Amino acid sequence: MPPPDHSRAVPPPADPRALGAVPAGAASAHERQLAGELLRAFAERFGPGPKPRLFFAPGRVNLMGAHLDYNGGPVMPTAIDRGTFIAARSAAAGRVRLESLLEAARFEGRLPTGAAAEGSAWPSAASGRWFDYPLGVLRQSQSAGQLDGGVELLFGGNLPIGAGLSSSASICVGTALAVEALAGPAAAGGGPERWVEQALEAERGFVGVRCGIMDPNAVARSRAGHLLWLDCLDGSLEHLPFPGAEVAIGICDSGVRRDLAAGAFNQRVAEAQALLRLLEPDERRARCLRQVPSERFEAERDRIDALLARRGSHVFSELARTFRARELLGAGRLAEFGGLLTSTHESLRVNYEVSTPELDLLVELAVAQPGVWGSRLTGAGFGGCTVLLGAPGGEAEIGAAIAAGFAARFGRQPGVRFYRGDAGPRELLL
Ligand code: GLA
């Protein structure tokens, strides 16, 4: 098992006003190593030319508000200090190249308009491969006038793909940031809000995942030492103190990967919509389940389809848990806050039916360890990771016990790592 990783000190973002819309920070030793590998690979793959610039966008873990964003509820995610690294440089004649150290498929094409239109290989539909995400962003950068020439992007980093840590939002936000930085002053008016918009449009409009607003907001707008309180009804956002010295955030990777575009996630979104229209047929009165009184659900529950009733049980109980979680956090009652994660997992398992035997075992093992306050699957589910919260100090023992218990049942090691929050997307200055 890899040892718990506390190596990275989060660099404070430099004053964004001094650097335009794109914040920058000095790279840590771990980042320098990854960045060095990326730069070497960039030179090998893309050949001579100007030195590329380096960008980082974190992944995220969501603690409370599971499957609430597309139901209009509040969510409580935070960025983690693992993410997508991108080496980027401008290219001539509308040429676009997208490659990754983590995936074999590569994209090469030309922007579809202007002088470069001839011979364009610009796809009009998603291909089902990883580069759909950056392509979805580039399509918008181009319509926003940020991509007059072309661009060469090499992706890498230390965020597992499809593990529920928001690799897709990390790739999309990182692409938006890199293109904006390369465009320089032409990209005036950009920044985190635009990265979020471009990432959402890429996922919903191009890739075809009906995701909520949580992931790109968590990636683009988190602050170190805080949880984000994002109210998905109106998009308002607060940073709630969540001091790294008082809490350990562990992430256990089941090793099972899933593809959100493959349908199970969209099916949950459709079921939530179906329940909404059953409970409130008038779209003007409620556009999401958050706007339906929970009493109405309770009154109707025995008369509605059993599957939709289970989905509703999760959504309405998770709304109550998430508001309670905020109160507990504000009162410094961290152990009780952590306990709510375990109740959330149970509801995701029984009512929302997005867990797997591997995730259930990781949660069971985690909560059996002294010092662990609670645990749940993170992200959409169907595979991926669990998150645990506990008191700092016992990370090595907790990690070892979970890994041993998991290996005894499934015959392989889960990844167990402890994370700190992250300062958000930035240019890396080596
Ligand atoms: C995925 C989606 C998010 C959110 C979570 C579940 O990560 O992209 O929008 O719905 O699942 O909370």
Side-chain angles (χ1 to χ4, degrees):
M1 188 198 77
D5 183 344
H6 301 290
S7 58
R8 184 170 177 280
V10 177
D15 181 355
R17 285 162 304 182
L19 292 145
V22 177
S28 69
H30 176 63
E31 287 173 346
R32 274 201 299 277
Q33 185 201 332
L34 282 167
E37 286 163 16
L38 198 61
L39 287 176
R40 278 192 294 283
F42 190 98
E44 276 163 29
R45 289 170 181 235
F46 295 165
K51 190 169 173 247
R53 288 165 69 180
L54 281 165
F55 301 91
F56 172 77
R60 68 96 188 88
V61 61
N62 60 320
L63 298 184
M64 290 301 297
H67 285 272
L68 284 194
D69 56 353
Y70 57 86
N71 287 306
V75 294
M76 300 177 85
T78 188
I80 56 172
D81 51 1
R82 287 290 180 279
T84 306
F85 288 66
I86 305 176
R89 85 178 163 201
S90 302
R95 184 181 163 96
V96 173
R97 290 178 71 176
L98 305 172
E99 297 200 16
S100 169
L101 298 185
L102 309 174
E103 300 277 341
R106 53 182 73 175
F107 174 83
E108 190 158 356
R110 282 184 194 279
L111 296 176
T113 55
E118 220 171 301
S120 165
W122 198 254
S124 54
S127 68
R129 283 170 292 187
W130 73 273
F131 52 68
D132 290 340
Y133 294 94
L135 268 183
V137 172
L138 292 180
R139 291 159 66 89
Q140 297 164 73
S141 311
Q142 195 204 11
S143 12
Q146 294 177 334
L147 202 59
D148 284 344
V151 71
E152 293 177 326
L153 301 176
L154 178 61
F155 294 80
N158 48 14
L159 189 64
I161 290 181
L165 302 177
S166 213
S167 53
S168 53
S170 175
I171 288 173
C172 290
V173 167
T175 303
L177 156 78
V179 169
E180 186 175 297
L182 292 180
E193 283 171 35
R194 181 147 79 186
W195 309 336
V196 169
E197 270 169 34
Q198 293 190 338
L200 274 176
E201 182 50 34
E203 288 220 44
R204 290 172 174 169
F206 189 61
V207 178
V209 179
R210 296 171 65 187
C211 60
I213 65 173
M214 174 174 71
D215 295 350
N217 273 291
V219 167
R221 303 172 79 188
S222 287
R223 266 190 213 156
H226 293 78
L227 289 186
L228 205 61
W229 174 268
L230 174 65
D231 191 327
C232 300
L233 195 56
D234 61 7
S236 62
L237 175 153
E238 287 170 68
H239 294 97
L240 308 177
F242 197 63
E246 290 169 31
V247 64
I249 304 176
I251 294 180
C252 307
D253 190 344
S254 70
V256 179
R257 295 290 174 261
R258 85 286 177 277
D259 178 3
L260 283 194
F265 177 80
N266 282 353
Q267 194 188 331
R268 293 300 179 281
V269 179
E271 289 161 356
Q273 272 297 317
L275 176 62
L276 169 65
R277 293 284 78 99
L278 263 182
L279 296 174
E280 178 50 80
D282 187 345
E283 283 182 32
R284 285 163 308 178
R285 294 168 69 95
R287 55 188 167 79
C288 57
L289 284 173
R290 164 91 175 277
Q291 292 175 313
V292 176
S294 61
E295 296 75 23
R296 195 177 310 165
F297 170 66
E298 292 306 332
E300 296 290 326
R301 166 193 209 128
D302 293 340
R303 286 196 282 274
I304 56 187
D305 169 79
L307 182 141
L308 294 187
R310 288 199 298 280
R311 304 299 185 253
S313 294
H314 170 71
V315 172
F316 287 100
S317 66
E318 183 69 359
L319 280 165
R321 272 189 296 273
T322 306
F323 284 108
R324 178 74 185 134
R326 182 183 170 139
E327 281 171 17
L328 291 171
L329 184 63
R333 291 158 66 178
L334 290 173
E336 288 164 81
F337 175 92
L340 289 178
L341 270 70
T342 314
S343 311
T344 291
H345 184 79
E346 191 55 12
S347 177
L348 288 170
R349 185 178 76 78
V350 175
N351 294 321
Y352 227 59
E353 297 175 280
V354 293
S355 191
T356 65
E358 291 86 350
L359 295 170
D360 293 340
L361 181 64
L362 287 171
V363 168
E364 199 183 299
L365 291 164
V367 298
Q369 306 313 311
V372 173
W373 302 324
S375 177
R376 54 158 285 209
L377 70 84
T378 185
F382 316 108
C385 295
T386 59
V387 56
L388 70 84
L389 283 189
E395 289 90 342
E397 294 77 12
I398 291 169
I402 294 174
F406 188 90
R409 164 99 171 267
F410 289 107
R412 59 191 166 78
Q413 294 286 322
V416 184
R417 282 188 174 275
F418 286 83
Y419 289 86
R420 293 178 189 277
D422 190 83
R426 55 195 173 270
E427 179 161 12
L428 292 176
L429 304 176
L430 295 184

